[in-house]
Amino acid sequence: VLPEPGSPAPTVSVTEIRRYLRAQGIPFQDGHSCLHAPSLFAPGPAELPPAGPPFTLFIDKTTGSFLCTATQAEGSWQDLQAAVELRHRGLPAPSPAEAEEEGEEEAEARRAREDARCIWERALPLAELLDEEEARATKAAFGIAVLSDATLKRFGVRYLRAARALVFPWFAPRGTALRGLKLLAAEEHGGGGVTYTEETLPRFDAYRNLFGLPLIGRRDAEVVLTGRELDTLALHQATGVPSLALPRGATCLPPALLPYLEQFRRVTLWLGDDLRSWEAAKLFARKLSPKRCSLVRPGDLQPRPLEALNRGLNLTKILRAALPAGHKSIVSFRQLREEVFGELVNSEQVAGVKWARFPELNKLLKGHRRGELTIFTGPTGSGKTTFISEYALDLCTQGVCTLWGSFEINNVRLAKIMLTQFAARRLEDQLELYDEWADRFEDLPLYFMTFHGQQNIKTVIDTMQHAVYMYDITHVVVDNLQFMMGHEQLSADR
């Protein structure tokens, strides 16, 4: 939930961060999306090497939040300032392991790690399945017959027989400690199609695994980011290029992952084979610094990496044809030509994300598109909030990251309405099902602003911008405008 009740989203400019570091005598370097500084948290030797301390502290230029890759210490800009003050008083900065007592979140994270370890120990590498026929059938179900056992072993992929799922590990960046895992299950249904379902330990909002990170060398200067673990395997096998998979695919790029991508001079985004992946790639390139990013445009001859490998296409050639993300201010039609063709070919996708449960709405609005404003009006009690929460849930279940600003009813009541709609049942009559549905609801990319009643517009806009950067929000709901602005402001300028 953003932000803390009664306080606006914390804002700090990169100029302020630089000024503060200089005033405190902390050396720093300018990176792509972070400033790099020596860690305040790593226990350093009394005598530093001639080159000075390693720059393992990364400070996000947009939010000021930090991550020390050596100790995994992380926090807000205010936390970092507090650590600097402690250091000046001759006291050690608190290490991440020094929390005085285990909070609820830490306890849940520890339980998730233990569950992950149990599953990991039960899972087997595919090469060790005694029944060769079962191994072949498993590879066929996931469409990975082209992937060699050596590639699967190199990335540590295993198979959990009980769940008929592939298991992708999340290892600590510079170690072998298991921090979590993702399960990918394939379910075949009547028409010959296959449905894939994912589950992560810990839950998705705490699952920050750049799959393949332990295999990246310190001197690697190029990387390809994909939207799925299987695509990363295919890319690495076909090209040998360092490749990482984002934990939530084209849904979002959490800022907490940016420090691990700072070492690369060139980042190629190849997230998928549809228009949403293309839009997400352009959005992520802005976070990563467009100057160093290239994008693989989806198309029939440029499908996602695993499909390209299955079809015998040349993946190295596709990577070489990637388009630079940073563009000049003036372009000719020749440069737009392919993009225009892509819009004509994918006219359905260009129309936006379709509502699964509202075909009549699709006829009116075609779909949800970013950058557009839709206003719902109607008298009090006509069902605006009820309908818009259904409308937003429909998009959320399809991976559209949504931010709610409920200025009229409080978040607890709104969440209760939405959970009831999501479960499609009266949960007050079936309380034993509450935890099961609440767990599934928690996995939706849905966030709530904590404002209520009339608000300062600038504060609300700042909070929205903060949420867009942190959670890649592409859909904002304001319910309702009248309550947010108050009656006085409406008469002046509707």
Side-chain angles (χ1 to χ4, degrees):
V1 174
L2 290 167
E4 284 304 306
S7 66
T11 54
V12 60
S13 71
V14 69
T15 309
E16 289 173 83
I17 298 171
R18 287 194 182 105
R19 197 180 296 142
Y20 179 82
L21 294 176
R22 285 193 193 104
Q24 300 297 332
I26 298 171
F28 64 90
Q29 296 166 351
D30 211 342
H32 302 287
S33 42
C34 301
L35 297 175
H36 311 178
S39 178
L40 305 170
F41 305 89
E47 288 295 318
L48 288 170
F55 281 42
T56 58
L57 184 71
F58 294 87
I59 305 164
D60 191 299
K61 290 184 190 178
T62 305
T63 62
S65 56
F66 72 89
L67 170 73
C68 169
T69 53
T71 64
Q72 300 300 301
E74 59 181 306
S76 67
W77 174 240
Q78 288 75 14
D79 295 334
L80 185 62
Q81 288 173 306
V84 172
E85 296 302 319
L86 283 173
R87 178 60 64 96
H88 282 324
R89 288 188 218 152
L91 300 167
S95 76
E98 274 176 16
E100 285 183 23
E101 55 184 80
E102 187 176 61
E104 197 178 319
E105 281 185 25
E106 287 82 7
E108 195 174 321
R110 183 174 49 76
R111 284 195 296 271
R113 280 197 296 274
E114 285 169 9
D115 290 345
R117 191 176 48 77
C118 292
I119 291 172
W120 182 243
E121 285 168 359
R122 282 167 50 209
L124 287 171
L126 275 170
E128 289 179 24
L129 286 179
L130 296 175
D131 187 348
E132 280 184 32
E133 186 55 43
E134 184 186 5
R136 250 198 314 276
T138 300
K139 281 190 168 187
F142 289 97
I144 56 170
V146 284
L147 296 181
S148 68
D149 288 339
T151 300
L152 294 168
K153 186 179 177 184
R154 181 170 165 74
F155 282 84
V157 180
R158 293 186 181 182
Y159 180 64
L160 185 64
R161 199 180 251 143
R164 292 185 178 179
L166 291 178
V167 182
F168 302 104
W170 172 15
F171 292 117
R174 301 283 178 230
T176 53
L178 187 75
R179 295 177 63 185
L181 46 82
K182 180 184 282 190
L183 294 169
L184 178 70
E187 195 179 319
E188 295 182 38
H189 38 80
V194 180
T195 307
Y196 296 103
T197 52
E198 288 183 357
E199 189 183 340
T200 62
L201 285 166
R203 303 190 76 77
F204 90 87
D205 51 347
Y207 184 79
R208 297 177 185 162
N209 174 28
L210 277 171
F211 177 72
L213 192 61
L215 299 181
I216 298 289
R218 291 180 191 274
R219 293 186 179 177
D220 286 332
E222 290 188 15
V223 72
V224 182
L225 296 182
T226 72
R228 295 193 317 189
E229 289 76 11
L230 295 179
D231 286 333
T232 284
L233 297 170
L235 251 174
H236 183 79
Q237 179 171 306
T239 66
V241 173
S243 178
L244 300 170
L246 298 178
R248 297 281 289 164
T251 306
C252 65
L253 168 58
L257 297 177
L258 298 179
Y260 298 112
L261 301 171
E262 281 288 291
Q263 77 178 70
F264 303 108
R265 284 199 308 274
R266 184 168 182 215
V267 178
T268 304
L269 291 140
W270 190 352
L271 298 183
D273 49 13
D274 60 358
L275 217 63
R276 277 176 75 186
S277 304
W278 172 246
E279 290 296 328
K282 289 193 279 190
L283 188 72
F284 297 169
R286 269 188 264 163
K287 272 189 190 178
L288 292 161
S289 172
K291 289 178 189 169
R292 62 173 175 152
C293 291
S294 301
L295 317 176
V296 173
R297 158 172 290 293
D300 186 47
L301 292 175
Q302 297 191 163
R304 59 186 330 131
L306 179 61
E307 192 186 330
L309 188 63
N310 276 321
R311 283 167 52 182
L313 299 173
N314 186 330
L315 276 74
T316 306
K317 192 176 170 186
I318 294 173
L319 283 178
R320 283 202 193 115
L323 306 168
H327 57 78
K328 296 187 178 79
S329 303
I330 298 171
V331 293
S332 66
F333 178 68
R334 177 181 289 182
Q335 289 157 287
L336 298 174
R337 183 173 173 148
E338 283 305 304
E339 209 153 331
V340 172
F341 182 71
E343 295 227 342
L344 291 171
V345 170
N346 300 300
S347 56
E348 278 295 298
Q349 290 180 29
V350 172
V353 181
K354 300 276 189 285
W355 286 273
R357 291 181 289 171
F358 300 113
E360 292 300 315
L361 192 64
N362 288 329
K363 288 181 192 171
L364 282 170
L365 298 179
K366 308 299 178 205
H368 167 262
R369 290 174 298 285
R370 286 184 14 217
E372 291 193 1
L373 173 70
T374 305
I375 300 177
F376 289 87
T377 68
T380 304
S382 59
K384 295 187 296 295
T385 301
T386 307
F387 172 66
I388 291 170
S389 61
E390 280 276 13
Y391 158 112
L393 266 177
D394 192 311
L395 294 173
C396 254
T397 53
Q398 298 182 66
V400 175
C401 300
T402 301
L403 176 68
W404 258 91
S406 178
F407 298 89
E408 185 176 359
I409 64 172
N410 69 40
N411 284 331
V412 174
R413 273 193 56 211
L414 175 65
K416 181 185 147 193
I417 291 168
M418 295 184 85
L419 178 61
T420 303
Q421 291 172 330
F422 180 66
R425 65 190 70 217
R426 283 173 59 84
L427 288 171
E428 56 264 47
D429 299 336
Q430 298 171 289
L431 291 175
E432 70 280 0
L433 297 176
Y434 176 77
D435 284 330
E436 179 194 333
W437 282 104
D439 282 350
R440 288 163 69 174
F441 189 70
E442 211 175 287
D443 278 346
L444 295 177
L446 178 64
Y447 303 88
F448 301 90
M449 288 189 273
T450 55
F451 302 121
H452 194 60
Q454 186 176 343
Q455 296 297 329
N456 177 304
I457 297 297
K458 185 181 183 310
T459 307
V460 176
I461 296 292
D462 285 349
T463 302
M464 288 178 184
Q465 287 183 324
H466 179 73
V468 166
Y469 179 78
M470 294 298 293
Y471 305 108
D472 297 296
I473 299 296
T474 53
H475 180 215
V476 180
V477 179
V478 173
D479 180 36
N480 69 41
L481 209 54
Q482 194 168 307
F483 274 81
M484 180 181 84
M485 299 184 71
H487 294 276
E488 312 82 60
Q489 295 178 35
L490 275 180
S491 56
D493 181 3
R494 287 192 170 194

